[in-house]
């Protein structure tokens, strides 16, 4: 499947761009992370600490082990804080 992947905050800085289109057969966001981390050193750095990665699938927050289904968009970002 083709998925638009979005990166935010320091993850975007490490990857080097805010979005990219990828082909994947990943069943979960965690499996997609493994594929993305293998793309470059910047990707590997962005996903080095999986404990701080948050994910939204089609703009809905989700667990990294949830079924991915057939999303149009997957976004990755660090933990959010409120004020």
């Amino acid at each position: 499947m083709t998925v638009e992947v979005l990166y935010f905050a320091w993850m975007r800085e490490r990857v080097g761009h805010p979005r990219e289109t990828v082909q994947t057969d990943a069943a979960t966001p965690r499996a997609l992370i493994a594929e993305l981390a293998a793309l470059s050193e910047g990707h590997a750095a962005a996903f080095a600490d999986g404990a701080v990665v948050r994910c939204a699938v089609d703009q809905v927050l989700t667990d990294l082990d949830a079924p991915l289904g057939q999303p149009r968009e997957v976004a990755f970002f660090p933990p959010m804080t409120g004020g």
Side-chain angles (χ1 to χ4, degrees), residues 9-50:
W10 54 260
M11 296 188 77
R12 176 182 59 232
E13 293 169 12
R14 291 178 185 174
V15 169
H17 46 269
R19 65 178 52 224
E20 63 188 323
T21 303
V22 299
Q23 288 290 324
T24 183
D25 292 321
T28 65
R30 191 176 306 279
L32 179 58
I33 286 171
E35 291 179 11
L36 294 169
L39 293 178
S40 73
E41 288 181 22
H43 286 84
F47 293 108
D49 184 358

Side-chain angles (χ1 to χ4, degrees), residues 57-72:
V57 175
D58 290 332
Q59 300 183 5
V60 176
L61 292 175
T62 189
D63 185 80
L64 294 179
D65 294 313
L68 200 51
Q70 298 288 322
R72 290 178 290 161

